[in-house]
Amino acid sequence: MAEIIQKDGTWTFDGDALRLTPGRDKNVSLLRKTLGELTVPLGALAGISFEQGKKSGRLRLRLRDGADPLLQATGGKLTEPNDPYQLTVESDRYGVAEYVVDEVRDALLLDRVPTDPVDGYLLPGPSVPLSVSAGDGTASFDGERVRLEWNWKTEDSKSAAGTRSLALTDLTTVEWHPAVGLENGYLRFTVRGAETKAPPKYDPNSVELWGFKKDPLMALVAAAVQARLPHPTASPQAAQAAERPAAIAPEDDHDALLRRLRELGDLHKSGILTDEEFATAKRAVLKRM
C-alpha cells in the first residue's frame, strides 16, 4: 500500500484502486469537500505524474477518456483548486509522492491497463439527490428529474416560464462551463426536440453563472445527470437500454438513501448546504424512501 497525507488531502493506493480523500484545510475547495471521497479503479487510469516546485509540488491523475461523468460533463474545464484529481504536495513529502507515482505506474504496467477511451463510466458520479443554488437559479436532481427554479436576479422572459421540471429520459446532453473573464458560465440541459442556441441568460433550460463561490457545485449536478445518461460512445441499442430505470434491490436502495441523509446532515452542519438547500434535498430523499 502507498499513501500520502497532506493538508490538501490524502491519496491511498492499495494495488487495485486509488482512494482520494479531500483534506479539511480551509484552502480545500467547496466542490472537493462536497464531492467527498472518490475511489478510482486502476482500470480508469491512463497515467499519473508528479511535478516538483520550489515550495510545493503537485500530483496529477490522468483518467481514460469517458471513464468519469464529472470530467465528461465539465469538458476538462475544472480549475486546479476544484480538480479532485490533483493534490498539492509539500516539499518535505516529495519522496513519498514519487513513491506513490512509482507504485501506481508499476500496477498499470503489470495489469496492462490500456490508455484508450472507455465505452462506459467507471466512476459512479455524485450521489443524489442534489440541490445547488448559484447564479440566477437553483438546480435540483433526484435521479429521475431535474428541477430548475429561478430567483429575483433571473431575466424576466426566462422566469416568466416558471419552474422547469425536466425528465431524465427527455435529456440528450448536459454541460457545465465556468465563468471566464467577462464571459458568464452556465449549466445547460439539452432537451430532445427543443434544442436551442439561446444564451443561458434567456434559455429556460440553463442556469447562468456569474463566477461566484458556489458556481463549481453546479458541476456536481451536471455530473450526476451525466452519469445517468447514455454514455457518449454507447450504441443506439445500449442508449435505449440505459434510458430504462435499472432494477435496484429495495434494501440496497433504502440503505443508500439512509447514507445520503447522513451525508446531507453533515454538509448542513458544516455550513456547505444552506437551510433551504438541505430542506429541499432532504424532502427528495424522504420522497424516494
Side-chain angles (χ1 to χ4, degrees):
M1 178 180 288
E3 183 177 64
I4 181 167
I5 303 174
Q6 295 289 275
K7 293 180 180 179
D8 195 32
T10 299
W11 285 15
T12 306
F13 179 59
D14 63 5
D16 296 318
L18 259 171
R19 190 169 70 250
L20 316 179
T21 307
R24 297 185 178 182
D25 188 74
K26 63 179 181 180
N27 293 322
V28 176
S29 74
L30 185 59
L31 181 146
R32 289 179 56 209
K33 288 180 178 178
T34 306
L35 184 59
E37 185 177 279
L38 290 176
T39 299
V40 184
L42 188 64
L45 293 178
I48 184 173
S49 63
F50 175 59
E51 304 165 3
Q52 292 190 16
K54 292 183 179 180
K55 295 183 179 180
S56 63
R58 189 171 294 274
L59 274 168
R60 298 179 188 269
L61 288 182
R62 183 164 57 88
L63 272 61
R64 296 170 65 187
D65 289 345
D68 180 28
L70 176 62
L71 296 183
Q72 186 70 39
T74 58
K77 299 182 181 72
L78 287 174
T79 57
E80 284 190 358
N82 294 307
D83 188 344
Y85 304 115
Q86 298 188 35
L87 181 72
T88 301
V89 179
E90 298 167 9
S91 58
D92 61 347
R93 290 294 181 270
Y94 283 179
V96 179
E98 290 170 348
Y99 173 69
V100 172
V101 169
D102 289 341
E103 288 292 296
V104 174
R105 285 178 176 172
D106 288 347
L108 290 171
L109 287 173
L110 287 172
D111 283 27
R112 297 182 180 180
V113 177
T115 58
D116 55 335
V118 298
D119 57 6
Y121 294 120
L122 301 181
L123 281 87
S127 301
V128 294
L130 277 170
S131 182
V132 178
S133 296
D136 67 353
T138 297
S140 304
F141 180 53
D142 63 4
E144 297 178 356
R145 302 190 74 86
V146 173
R147 182 180 175 87
L148 302 178
E149 301 174 83
W150 312 117
N151 56 39
W152 64 273
K153 295 168 284 188
T154 309
E155 202 278 332
D156 290 344
S157 62
K158 182 175 172 178
S159 61
T163 299
R164 301 284 290 166
S165 181
L166 310 174
L168 181 66
T169 52
D170 292 334
L171 301 180
T172 58
T173 60
V174 57
E175 182 185 8
W176 173 88
H177 195 291
V180 179
L182 298 178
E183 181 183 354
N184 291 336
Y186 56 83
L187 170 67
R188 186 192 296 273
F189 300 94
T190 302
V191 179
R192 185 179 292 105
E195 294 81 2
T196 178
K197 293 184 179 179
K201 180 177 181 178
Y202 303 103
D203 180 6
N205 297 325
S206 298
V207 177
E208 187 179 33
L209 305 173
W210 301 317
F212 297 137
K213 184 178 180 180
K214 288 193 175 182
D215 283 10
L217 294 184
M218 284 291 186
L220 300 183
V221 178
V225 173
Q226 184 72 59
R228 291 161 177 81
L229 290 176
H231 194 272
T233 62
S235 64
Q237 293 79 7
Q240 292 175 2
E243 290 177 358
R244 295 192 293 270
I248 300 176
E251 62 273 15
D252 293 340
D253 190 42
H254 186 267
D255 289 343
L257 292 173
L258 287 176
R259 288 196 299 271
R260 185 55 180 161
L261 278 176
R262 288 193 291 269
E263 291 173 0
L264 291 170
D266 291 340
L267 293 173
H268 182 233
K269 289 179 181 177
S270 63
I272 292 175
L273 290 181
T274 65
D275 292 344
E276 181 181 357
E277 291 167 343
F278 173 66
T280 300
K282 183 179 178 181
R283 281 197 302 270
V285 174
L286 293 176
K287 181 179 179 181
R288 293 184 66 192
M289 292 177 70

